[in-house]
Amino acid sequence: MSTAAANPDARPITVRRIKFRYPTGSLDRHYVQGDLMMSHIVAMMSAVFPEGEDYFIRSVRSFSDQITDPVLKTQVAGFIGQEVTHGREHRELNGRLQQMGYPTAFFDRLTCRTLNWLTRHLPPRFNLAVTAAIEHYTAVIAETLLTDPRAQDLLGENEVRSTLLWHALEESEHRAVAFDVYRTVGGTERLRIWAMRLTTADFVIGALINILASLARDRAAYNPRRLFTSIAALRHSPFASREVVARIRAYNRPGFHPNDVPNTELIEQWNARLFGEQGQLTDNLR
């Protein structure tokens, strides 16, 4: 029996046709509630999403001929559809952030070269293991945003908040797909855990470099009081809590599965909140 068929949490993955708009002047320079660091952190995360989503799709598609279970096949199709939309919408956001002074275009090109190199020169199963690891990171961050009011309050009420809430919901919906494909095609626990360790090192070092480079272009970052106040606030960020670190580290446990932490109620709650009859984002659906 396949991983998907054996998984009681297997669910349809909805591909939503959605559009977000960022008219000139609609966002403040430091659009995350005026916070210097968080504005740059979110911008640099968004900068790598489009090429990252393309890499995830390539990594999963390379094993599509080995997926025979109809449930997992359907989930893979939903995963790909959602990731295509994520890439398109973050490219739109990144264009606006570039106009505001964030170096999103540069890091988009750098990410493209890096991930294309991985695809060309490393084994497909390793790329799939990396994809599953990064999907775990994004799912933990996404579910922190959806469960912690402090995280939601950080984003204010602008269109970036709407984009990230939608993205977070869909990351939660498909969080186990790449993982299940990896297991289905015979990926080992050893490779899975080593891929996560390498991904963590790259994630931490790469994110730090990107954020510092972005800050270097921002005059506000040269105000010591503002900079260090913003850095100090990161210690209390809901995204850096012990619970978040513990969830990320759980991936290294033999026998781990993303659905060890149930999220069905969370998905139902946010699906109704964002896309129900009176949902916050129903006007964004196309």
Side-chain angles (χ1 to χ4, degrees):
M1 183 178 292
S2 76
T3 303
N7 176 15
D9 293 321
R11 62 176 70 86
I13 296 173
T14 303
V15 180
R16 301 173 179 88
R17 292 174 55 81
I18 195 164
K19 182 69 177 175
F20 297 94
R21 296 173 180 81
Y22 314 93
T24 301
S26 63
L27 295 176
D28 295 331
R29 175 67 169 91
H30 301 111
Y31 55 96
V32 183
Q33 295 287 64
D35 186 275
L36 176 66
M37 286 299 299
M38 284 303 299
S39 295
H40 283 273
I41 289 170
V42 172
M44 291 301 95
M45 285 182 62
S46 184
V48 303
F49 275 140
E51 291 299 331
E53 310 290 15
D54 288 350
Y55 171 72
F56 301 159
I57 292 168
R58 290 196 304 272
S59 298
V60 170
R61 268 186 175 157
S62 66
F63 291 93
S64 60
D65 61 338
Q66 298 183 39
I67 301 170
T68 58
D69 177 73
V71 175
L72 186 54
K73 269 185 173 293
T74 300
Q75 289 195 318
V76 166
F79 168 85
I80 291 172
Q82 286 189 343
E83 297 291 48
V84 167
T85 308
H86 296 174
R88 185 193 69 224
E89 290 304 310
H90 276 280
R91 283 188 175 91
E92 183 75 18
L93 172 57
N94 292 343
R96 184 72 193 93
L97 292 172
Q98 179 73 30
Q99 293 173 3
M100 293 163 61
Y102 295 93
T104 53
F106 172 79
F107 285 107
D108 177 74
R109 293 192 298 270
L110 181 60
T111 303
C112 178
R113 288 196 292 269
T114 301
L115 296 180
N116 283 341
W117 187 92
L118 291 179
T119 300
R120 289 194 303 269
H121 297 286
L122 295 178
R125 192 161 294 175
F126 179 80
N127 284 308
L128 182 58
V130 170
T131 294
I134 300 175
E135 283 288 297
H136 178 64
Y137 264 100
T138 56
V140 171
I141 293 170
E143 290 175 11
T144 301
L145 175 58
L146 297 179
T147 56
D148 195 322
R150 296 175 302 160
Q152 296 157 33
D153 289 344
L154 283 175
L155 300 179
E157 297 296 333
N158 58 39
E159 190 80 333
V160 175
R161 179 183 192 273
S162 298
T163 302
L164 295 181
L165 287 174
W166 154 75
H167 193 163
L169 170 63
E170 295 197 346
E171 288 296 331
S172 297
E173 288 179 327
H174 70 232
R175 67 181 183 179
V177 175
F179 189 100
D180 286 343
V181 172
Y182 177 78
R183 277 194 173 175
T184 296
V185 300
T188 66
E189 289 287 85
R190 186 169 183 266
L191 177 58
R192 177 180 70 79
I193 292 169
W194 270 106
M196 180 57 161
R197 290 171 178 167
L198 292 171
T199 296
T200 297
D202 179 70
F203 182 86
V204 172
I205 295 170
L208 182 60
I209 291 172
N210 292 6
I211 293 164
L212 289 175
S214 184
L215 283 167
R217 294 166 52 100
D218 189 338
R219 289 185 179 181
Y222 294 90
N223 180 328
R225 181 174 181 178
R226 184 171 184 184
L227 176 63
F228 289 113
T229 298
S230 185
I231 292 173
L234 292 176
R235 293 180 301 170
H236 307 291
S237 170
F239 298 104
S241 68
R242 291 181 179 178
E243 292 77 14
V244 168
V245 173
R247 276 198 67 184
I248 290 172
R249 292 180 64 184
Y251 192 92
N252 294 326
R253 185 183 70 246
F256 167 86
H257 191 278
N259 290 333
D260 289 343
V261 177
N263 70 351
T264 300
E265 289 186 9
L266 180 68
I267 288 173
E268 290 175 351
Q269 171 195 342
W270 277 96
N271 192 45
R273 188 166 172 179
L274 298 179
F275 299 107
E277 191 171 328
Q278 303 296 325
Q280 298 172 15
L281 300 184
T282 52
D283 290 343
N284 292 82
L285 293 172
R286 300 196 298 174

